[in-house]
Amino acid sequence: MKPTGLTAIALLAAVFWAPTSRAVEPKEACIAASTDGQTFRAERRLLEARHKMLECTQPSCPEIVQAFCSRWLVEIEDQLPSLVVHVVDPSGAELSDAQLTIDGNRAKLDGRPVPMDPGTHQVFAETSTGERLSSEVSLAPGEKAKLVVLRVLRPIVSATDLAPATASSTTAYTTPDRTPYRTPYRTDERPPSRGVPPGAWILGGTAVVAFGTAAYLIYDAYHKLDVLKGPPPAGCAPKCTDAQTAPGRADVLAADVATVIGVAALGSAVAWALLARVDSPVATRAAHFGVSPLAGGAFALLRVDR
């Protein structure tokens, strides 16, 4: 089984340790670098760990130390996260002249990935016009080239744009239209009339259907009750039970409900049509119609929002 980690470092130290000889000092430095690199790696200080592994991969180190450190260096590079920072204006154009710092350290704003340790980092940028942008970024091990976009929300105005305009220059600003709002008709005139809205026609049709249904139910109810007045076995008058008269009474009750619905729908249609004849040019009226059944009849409600 091949030694790994601190176990391998201990074996290397046992092989090359010779405190009485000055010739082995470079070997001791290589072993110390590999030990420190593994310690930093365990503490997730990957940038320092990578630096140490680069030290112990130098040609001056023993070949076995170089082999271990080279393998560990590849593993650390795989775990080392990075981020890419872009500073843009409100239109999305790059602002390459902005000053970038990450965790207080100056960084280049060249679009290349910046290696960082895993964890939370503070990204700060300042544009040439003094706009300050910041973001808190969290990096996980192995998260490569995480995109961070710092966007200026307000339009950037340079000193040239703020300079007074001369007679030969043109301005980029336009004067807003100050024309006062005018109503489509004079306030002392009556607004134009409108036609009957579609909703009123629908309510009118509902009223016609309800009246027709009520008429049919009344006819059917009288027919059923009239049969009970005939000779047996269908006839039972004047000693008919509630069960025998229930179908006729149910038709009468349903006819009452249909009649109420018809009256309410017709009244709502007429009211809606009258309200729509003259309307405000700004506010819009809406009519709401509803019917709720009650014992022995129904309850209808018309509400008009002004």
Side-chain angles (χ1 to χ4, degrees), residues 11-33:
L11 292 176
L12 293 176
V15 172
F16 295 104
W17 183 261
T20 59
S21 175
R22 297 187 59 85
V24 297
E25 288 182 0
K27 299 178 182 178
E28 296 174 6
C30 293
I31 295 174

Side-chain angles (χ1 to χ4, degrees), residues 238-250:
K239 298 181 180 181
C240 297
T241 64
D242 290 340
Q244 291 174 318
T245 59
R249 289 187 288 107

Side-chain angles (χ1 to χ4, degrees), residues 155-158 160-166 169-176:
I156 297 179
V157 182
S158 63
T160 305
D161 297 330
L162 295 177
T166 62
S169 64
T170 58
T171 178
Y173 301 97
T174 59
T175 303

Side-chain angles (χ1 to χ4, degrees), residues 185 190-200 203 268 270-289 302-306:
Y185 50 85
R190 291 179 59 85
S193 298
R194 293 184 177 181
V196 178
L203 287 175
S268 300
V270 173
W272 197 347
L274 293 176
L275 290 173
R277 297 293 294 176
V278 178
D279 204 354
S280 170
V282 177
T284 302
R285 296 187 178 97
H288 303 273
F289 171 71
L302 171 67
R303 188 180 78 250
V304 179
D305 297 334
R306 298 183 64 86

Side-chain angles (χ1 to χ4, degrees), residues 43-90:
E43 296 174 353
R44 300 182 70 177
R45 297 158 61 183
L46 300 185
L47 288 175
E48 296 176 83
R50 182 179 65 172
H51 177 72
K52 290 297 182 180
M53 293 305 172
L54 287 173
E55 290 182 5
C56 61
T57 56
Q58 300 301 316
S60 59
C61 294
E63 293 184 358
I64 187 171
V65 176
Q66 294 183 46
F68 275 103
C69 290
S70 297
R71 189 186 69 184
W72 293 333
L73 180 60
V74 173
E75 295 174 354
I76 292 173
E77 290 286 0
D78 290 339
Q79 295 177 352
L80 192 65
S82 61
L83 54 83
V84 178
V85 182
H86 292 280
V87 181
V88 299
D89 63 12

Side-chain angles (χ1 to χ4, degrees), residues 181-295:
Y181 173 76
R182 299 185 63 184
T183 58
Y185 50 85
R186 298 205 317 264
T187 55
D188 58 343
E189 293 179 345
R190 291 179 59 85
S193 298
R194 293 184 177 181
V196 178
W201 286 110
I202 295 174
L203 287 175
T206 302
V208 172
V209 173
F211 288 140
T213 302
Y216 171 79
L217 291 173
I218 292 175
Y219 169 80
D220 189 56
Y222 277 105
H223 174 72
K224 291 177 180 178
L225 295 175
D226 189 64
V227 171
L228 299 178
K229 298 178 182 179
C236 60
K239 298 181 180 181
C240 297
T241 64
D242 290 340
Q244 291 174 318
T245 59
R249 289 187 288 107
D251 284 350
V252 173
L253 178 60
D256 292 341
V257 174
T259 302
V260 172
I261 294 175
V263 172
L266 181 59
S268 300
V270 173
W272 197 347
L274 293 176
L275 290 173
R277 297 293 294 176
V278 178
D279 204 354
S280 170
V282 177
T284 302
R285 296 187 178 97
H288 303 273
F289 171 71
V291 178
S292 301
L294 298 173

